[in-house]
């Protein structure tokens, strides 16, 4: 079996439920996917559902022990791995019986794939299935079953009302659950650095290399800029831990939580990674090797490699190929469009219909997340409707059975979620009712509800669905098959994406222009000693980014030929907007110096 992915795209993590069982649907086709480890209750329910489907023995892991969270995660991941391996083995051991599935594997590959060409050559000639099975066994690869941990969602836990040690915190337990699993894949850390969690990784041998440089469980960092990659990469290297991939995500043109940069735009960020990739590998490896030596660990015979991938707002094959070729990326993430592919993601029919009908105005950056981070939302989702109804009835807030986001200690020593009924009731008594209080939504239940609906889970819990597509969803309007979606990624299928959609770089630029405008308004009423520095830095980075794009689009020949006219107009408009906002900022600075 080959260890190299046959595809140049991956499917990123989406919510908690939307990609929770995606590997079971597409990993045997060689497609890399990501499971969120935030919700162990959801994973336990899915383990029960799939155990019944595949006639596995199932015993419920109840929440009456200290380590139930890690045990649930390990058991779910092991089950997923078992099913995927079984599906994959059928390709090679029962090739004749599943020949149509084998052909589907290759139909999903791009036309220039060497393995696809070789397969077509074999089946177009005279062949026997025994020889084909041997060839498939040597050349096919399974998609990586990766996992995601949001580093800051690391709530302290209690047992019999006593605080447990830090290794039982949510993110720590999630890491342990993955580390103890059978998987050979990657853990993707997102939402910034958690030094305590990163230190805990060293407790597990699977994260360290053998002499050939093989690492069973790899580390991937989701980052928004080069500086963050260097800081986190070297921090981990000092502990003898290698970052195998940096996954660059657009600060605003993405789904889920949006971690905006200080005005750094996607193009310049990718260019910096491309130009400094060798330096990043060499500088980090020196630190890494020294750490392994000091700890008496095995040192790889050769220097390790680093993959660079990107995601956020990609919608055409032209953009996909440009990112790979111009920035030397190893792969590109396609998230939001896959929410319209029932063969891949878990989305209930009503929510999927709303996604299909969504326009630009229906997709917005909200303040609903209890984490206090902007969150991409769909207007009038069933969870929104439920929230408005509760406010109307005079009962704002939600029950809080999961407590994954119970990170505030304002009304309880064991943590309270700002979307909970308890928090909102107390806060309204103190300050009176306001949108600032009641707009927080229970994401724990909302992001898992679609699985409850689809798999008919017997529960009295809320079935209000929260969903977090990126702004790109506005340009996709129909349900797609897996083949249609993958064919579009590689070849641009007509009528899959709206023809008037802006180029991905321009789309993100417009989002940052609006973001800066909103920030200026905020600073007008909330000026502080950091305001001048923050606004000046943001403006400088934005202006540099616009200049970069003007030069880049002039230098890339016929690439994006059809969009060049609108791109030029958008960049000129952006320059005008930045000039006006620069004047507003200069006036604000002068006003607040007096």
């Amino acid at each position: 079996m080959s260890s190299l992915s046959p595809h140049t795209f991956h499917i990123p993590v989406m919510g908690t439920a939307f990609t929770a069982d995606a590997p079971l649907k597409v990993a045997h086709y060689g497609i890399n996917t990501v499971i969120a480890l935030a919700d162990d209750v959801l994973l336990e329910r899915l383990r029960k559902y799939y155990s019944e489907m595949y006639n596995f023995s199932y015993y419920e892991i109840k929440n009456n022990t200290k380590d139930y969270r890690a045990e649930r995660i390990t058991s779910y991941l092991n089950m997923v791995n078992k099913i995927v391996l079984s599906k994959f083995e059928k390709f090679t051991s029962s090739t004749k019986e599943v020949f149509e599935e084998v052909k589907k594997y290759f139909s999903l590959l791009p036309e220039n794939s060497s393995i696809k060409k070789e397969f077509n050559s074999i089946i177009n000639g005279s062949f026997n299935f025994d020889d084909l099975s041997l060839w498939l066994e040597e050349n096919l690869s399974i998609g990586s079953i990766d996992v995601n941990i949001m580093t800051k969602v690391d709530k302290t836990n209690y047992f019999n009302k006593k605080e447990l040690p830090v290794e039982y915190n949510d993110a720590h337990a999630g890491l342990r659950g993955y580390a103890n699993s059978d998987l050979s894949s990657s853990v993707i850390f997102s939402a910034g650095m958690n030094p305590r969690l990163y230190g805990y990784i060293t407790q597990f041998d699977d994260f360290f290399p053998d002499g050939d440089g093989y690492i069973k469980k790899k580390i991937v960092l989701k980052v928004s800029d080069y500086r963050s990659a260097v800081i986190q990469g070297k921090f981990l290297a000092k502990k003898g831990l290698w970052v195998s991939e940096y996954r660059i995500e657009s600060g605003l043109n993405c789904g889920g939580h949006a971690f905006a940069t200080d005005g750094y735009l996607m193009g310049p960020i990718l260019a910096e990674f491309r130009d400094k990739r060798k330096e990043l590998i060499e500088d980090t490896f020196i630190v890494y090797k020294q750490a392994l030596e000091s700890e008496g660990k095995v040192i790889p015979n050769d220097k390790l490699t680093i993959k660079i991938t990107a995601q956020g707002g990609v919608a055409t094959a032209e953009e996909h190929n440009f990112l790979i070729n111009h920035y030397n990326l190893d792969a590109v993430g396609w998230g939001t469009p896959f929410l319209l592919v029932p063969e891949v993601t878990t989305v209930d029919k009503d929510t999927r219909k709303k996604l299909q009908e969504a326009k630009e105005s229906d997709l917005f950056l909200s303040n609903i997340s209890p984490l206090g981070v902007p969150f991409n939302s769909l207007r009038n989702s069933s969870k929104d409707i439920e929230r408005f109804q509760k406010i109307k009835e005079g009962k704002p807030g939600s029950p809080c059975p999961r407590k994954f986001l119970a990170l505030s200690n304002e009304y309880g020593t064991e943590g309270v979620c700002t979307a909970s009924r308890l928090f909102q009731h107390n806060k309204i008594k103190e300050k009176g009712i306001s949108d600032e209080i009641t707009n927080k939504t229970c994401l724990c239940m909302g992001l898992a509800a679609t699985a409850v609906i689809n798999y008919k889970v017997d529960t009295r819990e809320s079935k209000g669905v929260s969903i977090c597509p990126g702004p790109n969803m506005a340009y996709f309007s129909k349900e797609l098959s897996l083949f249609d979606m993958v064919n579009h990624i590689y070849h641009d299928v007509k009528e899959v994406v709206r023809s008037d959609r802006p180029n991905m770089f321009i789309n993100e630029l417009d989002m940052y222009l609006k973001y800066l405008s909103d920030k200026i308004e905020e600073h007008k009423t909330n000026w502080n000693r950091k305001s001048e520095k923050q606004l000046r830095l943001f403006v400088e980075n934005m202006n540099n980014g616009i200049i970069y794009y003007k030069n880049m689009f002039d230098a890339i020949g016929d690439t994006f030929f059809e969009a060049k006219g609108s791109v030029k107009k958008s960049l000129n408009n952006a320059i005008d907007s930045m000039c006006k906002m620069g004047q507003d900022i200069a006036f604000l600075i002068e006003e607040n110096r007096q």
Side-chain angles (χ1 to χ4, degrees):
M1 181 173 66
S2 171
S3 61
L4 297 174
S5 173
H7 289 283
T8 57
F9 76 91
H10 62 260
I11 301 173
V13 67
M14 287 184 273
T16 53
F18 310 124
T19 56
D21 53 350
L24 295 172
K25 301 171 182 179
V26 299
H28 55 294
Y29 296 128
I31 298 171
N32 296 348
T33 53
V34 188
I35 299 170
L37 299 187
D39 190 343
D40 60 278
V41 177
L42 169 66
L43 300 185
E44 179 68 7
R45 285 174 169 173
L46 289 175
R47 187 169 71 88
K48 182 176 187 293
Y49 176 83
Y50 281 106
S51 292
E52 291 172 358
M53 179 184 289
Y54 287 93
N55 294 316
F56 295 157
S57 61
Y58 170 80
Y59 63 93
E60 182 183 359
I61 301 174
K62 298 182 179 180
N63 60 352
N64 57 0
T65 62
K66 290 181 181 179
D67 211 25
Y68 70 89
R69 177 172 167 78
E71 289 171 6
R72 285 174 171 176
I73 289 168
T74 301
S75 296
Y76 179 69
L77 296 178
N78 284 346
M79 181 203 70
V80 170
N81 192 44
K82 181 178 179 180
I83 294 171
V84 170
L85 285 172
S86 175
K87 284 185 173 184
F88 189 77
E89 284 170 6
K90 284 183 180 179
F91 281 169
T92 56
S93 62
S94 308
T95 306
K96 188 173 183 179
E97 291 79 2
V98 294
F99 192 46
E100 290 306 310
E101 279 290 283
V102 173
K103 287 197 287 187
K104 184 174 180 178
Y105 183 106
F106 289 96
S107 73
L108 296 171
L109 299 181
E111 291 305 317
N112 62 0
S113 165
S114 59
I115 189 176
K116 181 173 185 173
K117 291 176 181 177
E118 192 172 347
F119 172 76
N120 288 333
S121 177
I122 291 171
I123 65 170
N124 287 334
S126 60
F127 73 96
N128 66 64
F129 282 101
D130 289 339
D131 290 341
L132 180 61
S133 292
L134 290 172
W135 183 85
L136 293 173
E137 189 175 350
E138 291 176 1
N139 289 279
L140 263 60
S141 62
I142 299 179
S144 187
I145 305 168
D146 298 331
V147 302
N148 175 255
I149 294 175
M150 287 188 72
T151 57
K152 300 297 174 63
V153 183
D154 197 23
K155 174 180 60 69
T156 301
N157 286 310
Y158 296 78
F159 187 69
N160 293 333
K161 296 190 176 182
K162 292 183 180 179
E163 183 176 327
L164 290 170
V166 67
E167 60 264 29
Y168 292 96
N169 284 14
D170 277 0
H172 283 67
L175 175 65
R176 182 166 60 258
Y178 171 65
N180 290 335
S181 75
D182 299 332
L183 290 175
S184 174
S185 61
S186 300
V187 56
I188 298 154
F189 292 111
S190 60
M193 188 161 71
N194 181 338
R196 199 162 55 174
L197 178 66
Y198 285 180
Y200 186 54
I201 303 171
T202 61
Q203 301 297 309
F204 305 100
D205 291 340
D206 279 1
F207 290 97
F208 292 95
D210 64 15
D212 295 325
Y214 171 74
I215 302 173
K216 184 175 182 180
K217 290 183 169 66
K218 299 179 179 67
I219 296 170
V220 176
L221 295 185
K222 191 188 286 187
V223 294
S224 56
D225 59 53
Y226 183 79
R227 181 174 176 271
S228 173
V230 171
I231 291 171
Q232 293 189 72
K234 287 189 176 179
F235 182 90
L236 287 161
K238 288 176 182 176
K239 298 180 181 298
L241 299 167
W242 185 254
V243 177
S244 297
E245 177 187 333
Y246 290 98
R247 189 162 288 188
I248 306 152
E249 183 171 71
S250 169
L252 291 178
N253 197 8
C254 61
H257 288 92
F259 296 90
T261 67
D262 293 327
Y264 292 107
L265 302 176
M266 191 73 161
I269 292 169
L270 293 174
E272 188 170 15
F273 272 92
R274 177 196 62 202
D275 298 342
K276 296 181 178 178
R277 185 175 189 161
K278 184 179 178 183
E279 176 185 329
L280 177 63
I281 293 172
E282 290 179 349
D283 290 355
T284 310
F285 191 78
I286 291 170
V287 177
Y288 176 67
K289 186 177 178 182
Q290 289 173 345
L292 291 176
E293 284 176 344
S294 66
E295 292 295 323
K297 299 281 188 183
V298 174
I299 299 170
N301 297 323
D302 299 311
K303 195 180 300 176
L304 300 182
T305 60
I306 289 175
K307 288 184 177 180
I308 306 294
T309 63
Q311 59 198 41
V314 187
T316 68
E318 186 176 30
E319 290 176 349
H320 177 92
N321 292 328
F322 178 78
L323 290 176
I324 288 172
N325 296 326
H326 189 73
Y327 296 109
N328 297 331
L329 297 183
D330 294 282
V332 173
W334 285 67
T336 289
F338 273 103
L339 292 172
L340 298 180
V341 185
E343 288 175 76
V344 178
T345 53
T346 299
V347 181
D348 60 284
K349 288 182 179 179
D350 289 344
T351 303
R352 187 172 280 121
K353 188 171 186 295
K354 287 183 178 181
L355 292 175
Q356 288 173 242
E357 296 171 351
K359 307 302 180 188
E360 286 94 329
S361 60
D362 298 315
L363 302 157
F364 67 107
L365 209 54
S366 72
N367 293 313
I368 69 170
S369 173
L371 289 178
V373 177
F375 189 74
N376 281 288
S377 298
L378 172 67
R379 207 174 299 281
N380 292 323
S381 67
S382 56
K383 193 66 177 176
D384 264 358
I385 294 168
E386 177 187 274
R387 179 170 61 87
F388 296 143
Q389 184 61 32
K390 285 182 178 179
I391 295 170
K392 186 178 179 181
E393 293 170 356
K395 299 176 181 178
S398 302
C400 194
R402 297 285 190 276
K403 298 185 182 298
F404 299 133
L405 301 181
L407 302 174
S408 169
N409 292 318
E410 198 166 347
Y411 300 117
T413 55
E414 293 189 17
V416 179
C417 177
T418 57
S420 69
R421 191 167 294 159
L422 170 63
F423 184 94
Q424 295 192 9
H425 173 76
N426 287 337
K427 192 58 71 175
I428 289 168
K429 281 180 68 175
E430 291 175 13
K431 296 188 172 184
I433 194 165
S434 68
D435 287 344
E436 185 181 353
I437 297 170
T438 60
N439 68 1
K440 301 302 180 190
T441 295
C442 177
L443 294 182
C444 297
M445 306 301 288
L447 292 174
T450 192
V452 169
I453 296 168
N454 275 15
Y455 301 133
K456 298 178 174 58
V457 176
D458 184 17
T459 177
R460 296 169 65 184
E461 295 170 353
S462 163
K463 291 184 175 64
V465 176
S466 297
I467 196 160
C468 46
N472 229 8
M473 181 55 74
Y475 308 109
F476 292 83
S477 59
K478 63 180 181 180
E479 191 173 290
L480 298 164
S481 69
L482 172 61
F483 177 80
D484 289 340
M485 188 69 246
V486 175
N487 196 31
H488 176 70
I489 290 172
Y490 290 134
H491 307 296
D492 277 338
V493 177
K494 285 185 178 179
E495 298 182 357
V496 167
V497 66
R498 258 171 48 188
S499 59
D500 64 337
R501 172 192 167 271
N503 176 275
M504 63 172 289
F505 294 118
I506 299 303
N507 216 9
E508 188 203 47
L509 171 59
D510 287 342
M511 292 172 200
Y512 269 102
L513 289 169
K514 183 182 183 304
Y515 186 83
L516 176 57
S517 177
D518 292 343
K519 282 294 175 187
I520 292 170
E521 292 303 311
E522 286 179 23
H523 282 284
K524 283 180 181 178
T525 56
N526 189 27
W527 191 266
N528 59 61
R529 60 186 181 84
K530 293 183 178 179
S531 292
E532 179 177 344
K533 183 179 178 181
Q534 289 173 345
L535 290 172
R536 283 190 186 279
L537 177 63
F538 206 104
V539 167
E540 180 184 356
N541 291 334
M542 286 283 288
N543 284 329
N544 288 340
I546 293 168
I547 292 169
Y548 169 86
Y549 283 140
K550 284 183 75 71
N551 293 333
M552 184 194 82
F553 279 101
D554 284 341
I556 57 177
D558 290 339
T559 306
F560 303 129
F561 179 78
E562 292 181 4
K564 284 246 176 124
S566 62
V567 165
K568 186 176 181 180
K569 182 179 178 181
S570 295
L571 289 174
N572 288 334
N573 289 339
I575 291 170
D576 291 341
S577 296
M578 287 301 300
C579 184
K580 290 174 184 175
M581 285 191 281
Q583 290 170 356
D584 288 345
I585 291 169
F587 178 78
L588 266 177
I589 292 170
E590 187 63 30
E591 186 179 52
N592 283 280
R593 281 179 177 174
Q594 294 174 359

